[in-house]
Amino acid sequence: MADPSSAHLTDGLGRRITYLRISVTDRCDLRCRYCMAERMQFLPKNQVLTLEEIALLADLFIARGVTKIRLTGGEPLVRRDIGDLAHRIGRHLGQGLDELTLTTNGVRLAVHADMLHDAGVRRINVSLDSLDAARFAHITRGGDLNAVRQGLDAAAEAGLAVKINMVALKGINDNEILPMLRWCNTQGFDLTLIETMPLGDIEGDRADNYLPLTHVVDTIRQSHALTPLPHRTGGPARYHAVEGMQVRLGLITPLTNNFCADCNRIRMTCEGKIFMCLGHEDHVDFKTALREGGLPAVNPLIDRALRLKPASHDFHIGLGETHPATRRHMSVTGG
Ligand code: SAM
Ligand code: SF4
């Protein structure tokens, strides 16, 4: 009989899991208002997986059929050994792993762009919610737009394809969405818009700035026809061609258009917890198993985690909901 723990990853609803997001740190050099509170309590270092532990777990997931890995956080580029980790995982490219990518705020990208390309990364997501320096500093609580722009230049020089992630925020950056789309088009970037999700306390009510992307799409359509594209990158975004432009417009709409039915993702936190869904608390702890029993102790836990994957998240914003769906911030589970 075949060893069930060597089988490919399929959850209890028959969804094949091929995409692992690894949050390599919960720390960040920004404090985006929709993501974090101003004062955050980060994990002590000894609770965080070492590079070697993350790499071993990545090996195991690739052996079990994961073909795409995204390094994220927190801010992945604040982790000191990120280059070694990227190279270590990148060794699997072409040998089980089809793609290694990264999501970053771009602040330290100028330093790391060449390293990422050397490690085999070819596409990155850079989060950028405003092209106005003062507004960018407001949203990120002190971030330097110039550093991000230098990072983007370095990424282009290093040969990394860039997709910009922009969280749509009512009353904050809604008047910049069309300009951002046009700017991405001139830069050769794609743009993905994201609805703000109710994850973790942020000192404020997300409902105040929640902007349904259905409204944004209606506005864009007044000047550019949008045509749905079959293009997929393995994530939740649905893409559209924009009339008169090269840029692809991605929409991540957890609130207005649930995308869970074909979810292929699981997420590992920097302390080795596997979450099967951004919006649920259920998880399996790999760190203790790995530290006490090594990889043989972890393999059966993967199967337990698969059984925990829920049919869908249960996000609501406004509608009398006052609490986030989870106490975890996106930066812990990894966006
Ligand atoms: N620090 C990196 C960055 O900002 O790109 C990677 C981690 S961040 C958590 C990943 C993505 O999640 C970013 O594009 C960010 O804008 C998005 N994000 C964070 N909190 C969010 C929330 N509550 N709702 C929607 N998107 C969120
Ligand atoms: Fe940091 Fe990314 Fe969260 Fe902004 S969205 S606070 S850059 S982890």
Side-chain angles (χ1 to χ4, degrees):
M1 200 172 85
D3 172 6
S5 63
S6 67
H8 280 173
L9 306 173
T10 306
D11 74 6
L13 297 167
R15 291 170 296 189
R16 177 87 182 269
I17 307 300
T18 53
Y19 185 177
L20 173 66
R21 296 191 180 193
I22 305 177
S23 175
V24 301
T25 176
D26 61 335
R27 290 164 196 257
C28 188
D29 44 4
L30 299 181
R31 292 287 182 281
C32 303
R33 288 170 189 271
Y34 53 80
C35 178
M36 292 192 179
E38 188 159 16
R39 287 168 192 276
M40 294 287 291
Q41 183 80 45
F42 295 115
L43 289 166
K45 291 258 161 60
N46 63 357
Q47 283 189 34
V48 173
L49 295 179
T50 63
L51 176 159
E52 189 55 26
E53 288 170 330
I54 296 178
L56 280 173
L57 291 169
D59 294 348
L60 181 60
F61 273 104
I62 294 165
R64 296 285 311 262
V66 160
T67 56
K68 174 169 176 173
I69 291 183
R70 177 176 298 281
L71 302 177
T72 178
E75 172 49 40
L77 298 183
V78 304
R79 187 163 167 146
R80 217 174 307 149
D81 51 12
I82 186 67
D84 295 335
L85 180 62
H87 277 88
R88 172 75 203 266
I89 297 177
R91 278 197 239 146
H92 289 280
L93 285 164
Q95 303 184 37
L97 186 65
D98 295 339
E99 189 172 34
L100 175 63
T101 64
L102 173 107
T103 303
T104 174
N105 62 27
V107 170
R108 299 177 190 215
L109 190 52
V111 178
H112 291 291
D114 286 332
M115 171 282 285
L116 291 169
H117 193 274
D118 285 349
V121 175
R122 293 293 177 268
R123 294 189 311 131
I124 57 172
N125 290 355
V126 179
S127 303
L128 183 58
D129 303 315
S130 174
L131 289 169
D132 176 272
R135 189 176 293 148
F136 180 82
H138 169 75
I139 296 172
T140 57
R141 296 195 181 95
D144 174 11
L145 178 63
N146 213 21
V148 181
R149 295 192 75 146
Q150 286 170 11
L152 288 168
D153 290 344
E157 267 176 46
L160 298 170
V162 170
K163 184 175 69 128
I164 299 292
N165 277 352
M166 177 184 195
V167 177
L169 299 164
K170 186 175 72 181
I172 297 185
N173 66 2
D174 36 0
N175 63 351
E176 275 202 71
I177 292 176
L178 208 43
M180 182 70 90
L181 188 64
R182 291 181 175 138
W183 179 78
C184 285
N185 189 49
T186 63
Q187 303 295 309
F189 303 153
D190 285 336
L191 173 66
T192 290
L193 302 174
I194 307 176
E195 286 175 344
T196 180
M197 298 174 226
L199 303 170
D201 283 321
I202 53 164
E203 295 159 9
D205 187 349
R206 283 194 174 84
D208 294 345
N209 303 115
Y210 168 55
L211 179 59
L213 289 185
T214 41
H215 296 192
V216 174
V217 164
D218 288 346
T219 310
I220 296 175
R221 283 205 162 111
Q222 288 170 15
S223 42
H224 302 274
L226 299 179
T227 312
L229 290 170
H231 174 76
R232 297 292 301 272
T233 56
R238 300 293 183 269
Y239 289 90
H240 293 74
V242 185
E243 182 188 34
M245 297 196 204
Q246 292 298 315
V247 59
R248 279 184 294 227
L249 174 65
L251 302 173
I252 298 187
T253 53
L255 281 299
T256 56
N257 185 11
N258 184 296
F259 44 61
C260 303
D262 58 357
C263 183
N264 60 350
R265 294 173 291 287
I266 51 176
R267 298 157 192 275
M268 184 165 80
T269 72
C270 63
E271 51 174 351
K273 291 180 179 165
I274 291 281
F275 282 89
M276 303 304 291
C277 175
L278 254 187
H280 285 260
E281 301 286 2
D282 291 340
H283 65 274
V284 174
D285 176 14
F286 282 11
K287 184 178 63 190
T288 313
L290 182 65
R291 289 186 178 172
E292 289 174 3
L295 282 180
V298 175
N299 216 356
L301 290 185
I302 296 184
D303 300 290
R304 185 188 302 170
L306 286 171
R307 289 194 291 275
L308 286 179
K309 191 161 172 66
S312 74
H313 66 66
D314 194 21
F315 294 151
H316 301 284
I317 285 190
L319 304 173
E321 300 273 331
T322 49
H323 299 296
T326 69
R327 293 190 53 230
R328 282 183 338 274
H329 294 87
M330 178 84 123
S331 51
V332 172
T333 329

